[in-house]
C-alpha cells in the first residue's frame, strides 16, 4: 500500500510538473488550487454565515449578497457617524486673534507626521493658565484641519474640576469616544458582574481596534492624568491628539506617538488689541495707552480680554481700564474682568 501511495504521489507530481511545463499550465494549477480552497474554506464559512443570518437553504449567491449588504450597511453607518462628528465640535464663531502662529505650527506637525514612514498619532500638548485660550485653540485646529481627518471628538476630562465635581473616568471617556467615532453599539455591552477594570480594558481594546488605520482628531480637554491620556491615544493611526493642560504631562519615553509641547501664553499687544478692537459698540479714537492698560489688567488672557471687550460697548478703552483697576488688585485677571462687568 505504501508503495502504491508513493507511486501515486510521484505520478501526481509529474503531472503537476507537466502542467507547469505546458503553455497555460501554471494557470491551470492555480485554478485547481483556487477550486480546492473554495471547496474547503469558503463554502463552510458561507454555510456558517447563512445559519447566523437566517438564510440557510438559500442559494450561495444570495447569501454572499446578503453578507455584502451587511458589510456595506455597517461601513455606511460608520462613515455617516464620522462625518456628523464634526458637527458636535464646539462652534468656532467669534474673533480668533493672536494664535495664528500656534495654529500654523500644529499644521506643520500634522504634515510631518503624515509624511513619516511610521503610522502613529501626532500629540500636541497645549499648556497654559486657565483662560489662556487652550481649548479655543484646540477646537480651531480641529476645524481648520478637518480635511485631513475622517472624524473628530472633544472629551472634557475635567482635570481642574471644582465645586465637588470629579474628573471624568477613563471608562466614560472611552465610551464617549467610541460612540462619537462610530463604533458598533452592540460591542459596548458588557457581561453582568464584570469589574470596572475589566470594562476599561475591553473598551481600550475596542478603541484601538476601531481606530486602527483611521485618522481622526481627538481633543482631550483639561487633562491632568498622564496614564489616562496614554490610554486614549489611538496608537495605530495617523490621528491628531490635542491635549489641553495647565502644565505638560510626562507620557513616558516609550509612548507610541510623536509628542510635541506648545505653550499657550498671554496674547501680545497686537493680539490683545485685535481682540478688543473687534468688540461691538467700541467707540472713540484709537487709544494705545488705554488698550495697553486693559491688556495689563487682563494679563493678556483671551477669556479676560473678551469679558473686558464686552465693557467697551459705549465706553472708551481708558474708561474700561479704570473699571478694571477699581475691581481690585487682589483678584485674578479673569475674576477682575468679570467683576468689572
Amino acid at each position: 500500500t505504501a508503495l502504491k501511495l508513493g507511486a501515486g504521489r510521484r505520478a501526481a507530481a509529474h503531472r503537476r510538473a507537466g502542467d507547469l511545463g505546458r503553455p497555460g499550465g501554471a494557470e491551470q494549477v492555480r485554478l485547481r488550487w483556487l477550486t480546492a480552497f473554495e471547496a474547503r474554506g469558503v463554502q463552510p464559512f458561507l454555510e456558517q454565515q447563512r445559519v447566523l443570518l437566517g438564510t440557510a437553504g438559500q442559494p450561495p449567491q444570495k447569501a454572499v449578497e446578503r453578507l455584502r449588504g451587511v458589510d456595506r450597511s455597517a461601513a455606511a453607518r460608520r462613515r455617516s457617524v464620522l462625518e456628523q462628528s464634526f458637527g458636535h465640535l464646539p462652534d468656532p464663531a467669534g474673533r480668533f486673534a493672536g494664535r495664528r502662529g500656534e495654529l500654523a505650527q500644529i499644521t506643520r506637525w500634522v504634515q510631518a507626521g503624515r509624511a513619516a514612514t511610521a503610522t502613529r498619532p501626532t500629540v500636541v500638548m497645549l499648556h497654559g493658565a486657565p483662560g489662556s485660550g487652550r481649548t479655543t485653540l484646540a477646537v480651531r485646529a480641529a476645524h481648520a484641519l478637518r480635511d485631513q481627518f475622517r472624524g473628530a471628538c472633544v472629551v472634557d476630562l475635567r482635570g481642574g474640576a471644582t465645586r465637588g465635581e470629579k474628573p471624568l473616568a477613563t471608562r466614560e471617556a472611552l465610551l464617549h469616544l467610541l460612540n462619537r467615532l462610530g463604533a458598533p453599539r452592540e460591542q459596548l455591552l458588557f457581561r453582568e458582574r464584570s469589574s470596572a477594570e475589566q470594562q476599561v480594558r475591553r473598551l481600550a481594546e475596542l478603541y484601538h481596534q476601531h481606530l486602527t488605520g483611521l485618522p481622526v482628531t481627538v481633543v482631550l480637554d483639561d487633562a491632568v492624568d498622564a496614564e489616562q491620556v496614554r490610554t486614549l491615544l489611538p496608537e495605530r493611526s495617523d490621528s491628531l491628539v490635542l491635549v489641553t493642560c495647565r502644565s505638560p504631562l510626562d507620557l513616558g519615553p516609550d509612548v507610541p506617538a510623536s509628542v510635541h509641547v506648545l505653550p499657550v501664553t498671554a496674547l501680545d499687544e497686537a493680539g490683545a488689541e485685535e481682540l478688543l478692537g473687534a468688540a461691538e459698540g467700541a467707540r472713540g479714537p484709537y487709544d494705545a495707552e488705554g488698550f495697553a492698560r486693559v491688556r495689563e489688567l487682563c494679563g493678556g488672557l483671551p477669556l479676560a480680554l473678551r469679558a473686558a471687550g464686552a465693557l467697551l460697548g459705549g465706553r472708551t478703552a481708558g474708561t474700561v481700564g479704570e473699571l478694571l483697576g477699581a475691581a481690585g488688585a487682589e483678584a485674578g485677571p479673569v475674576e477682575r474682568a468679570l467683576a468689572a462687568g
Side-chain angles (χ1 to χ4, degrees):
T1 302
L3 291 174
K4 289 180 180 180
L5 287 173
R9 291 171 181 167
R10 285 194 297 273
H14 286 306
R15 284 197 299 273
R16 287 195 295 272
D19 288 340
L20 289 171
R22 290 196 300 272
E27 180 64 20
Q28 293 179 8
V29 172
R30 189 179 73 85
L31 290 175
R32 289 176 185 173
W33 276 108
L34 289 175
T35 302
F37 176 75
E38 181 178 1
R40 298 180 183 179
V42 176
Q43 294 298 338
F45 169 76
L46 290 178
E47 285 296 333
Q48 179 190 39
Q49 296 303 312
R50 282 201 296 270
V51 172
L52 293 175
L53 294 173
T55 58
Q58 294 184 7
Q61 184 60 32
K62 287 189 176 181
V64 171
E65 292 175 356
R66 175 75 179 276
L67 287 171
R68 288 175 177 171
V70 172
D71 291 341
R72 289 172 181 169
S73 175
R77 178 189 173 277
R78 182 184 185 183
R79 285 194 300 271
S80 176
V81 172
L82 286 170
E83 290 173 1
Q84 294 173 8
S85 67
F86 289 101
H88 295 292
L89 293 175
D91 188 358
R95 173 75 64 172
F96 185 64
R99 301 297 187 201
R100 295 180 182 84
E102 289 88 342
L103 186 57
Q105 181 60 73
I106 294 172
T107 302
R108 288 192 291 270
W109 282 330
V110 169
Q111 293 171 346
R114 289 296 185 88
T117 56
T119 300
R120 57 182 184 175
T122 297
V123 179
V124 180
M125 287 197 184
L126 305 170
H127 68 94
S132 61
R134 303 166 302 180
T135 304
T136 300
L137 176 58
V139 171
R140 284 278 180 172
H143 281 285
L145 296 169
R146 173 172 179 167
D147 293 341
Q148 304 290 322
F149 300 96
R150 299 274 299 280
C153 185
V154 176
V155 182
D156 183 5
L157 299 179
R158 302 199 299 259
T162 56
R163 293 173 294 183
E165 194 178 32
K166 294 182 179 179
L168 188 68
T170 303
R171 176 185 180 276
E172 305 308 318
L174 285 167
L175 283 171
H176 180 75
L177 285 164
L178 286 165
N179 272 314
R180 278 284 187 264
L181 298 176
R185 301 262 177 96
E186 60 273 13
Q187 293 185 1
L188 306 183
L189 302 176
F190 301 98
R191 296 179 179 178
E192 293 183 4
R193 299 181 181 178
S194 60
S195 66
E197 183 180 350
Q198 291 173 330
Q199 292 184 17
V200 169
R201 185 165 54 249
R202 175 58 179 158
L203 286 171
E205 292 174 357
L206 289 172
Y207 176 68
H208 293 301
Q209 291 171 6
H210 180 67
L211 293 183
T212 296
L214 181 66
V216 297
T217 298
V218 176
V219 179
L220 303 179
D221 191 31
D222 202 10
V224 295
D225 187 343
E227 188 61 32
Q228 183 183 50
V229 170
R230 283 194 57 140
T231 302
L232 301 178
L233 297 183
E235 299 174 355
R236 297 183 292 272
S237 74
D238 293 322
S239 294
L240 170 63
V241 182
L242 298 165
V243 183
T244 72
C245 46
R246 299 193 182 193
S247 57
L249 302 177
D250 183 9
L251 301 182
D254 60 336
V255 61
S258 298
V259 181
H260 308 278
V261 178
L262 185 62
V264 183
T265 58
L267 290 177
D268 58 17
E269 291 184 6
E273 287 187 13
E274 182 182 359
L275 197 59
L276 290 170
E280 295 184 6
R283 70 176 189 177
Y286 173 74
D287 183 2
E289 185 177 349
F291 277 124
R293 177 61 174 163
V294 172
R295 175 187 174 276
E296 178 186 358
L297 292 171
C298 290
L301 300 179
L303 182 58
L305 288 167
R306 290 182 189 278
L311 300 174
L312 284 172
R315 299 185 179 93
T316 64
T319 303
V320 172
E322 293 175 0
L323 291 173
L324 292 172
E330 296 181 358
V334 176
E335 292 77 5
R336 183 185 298 118
L338 293 174

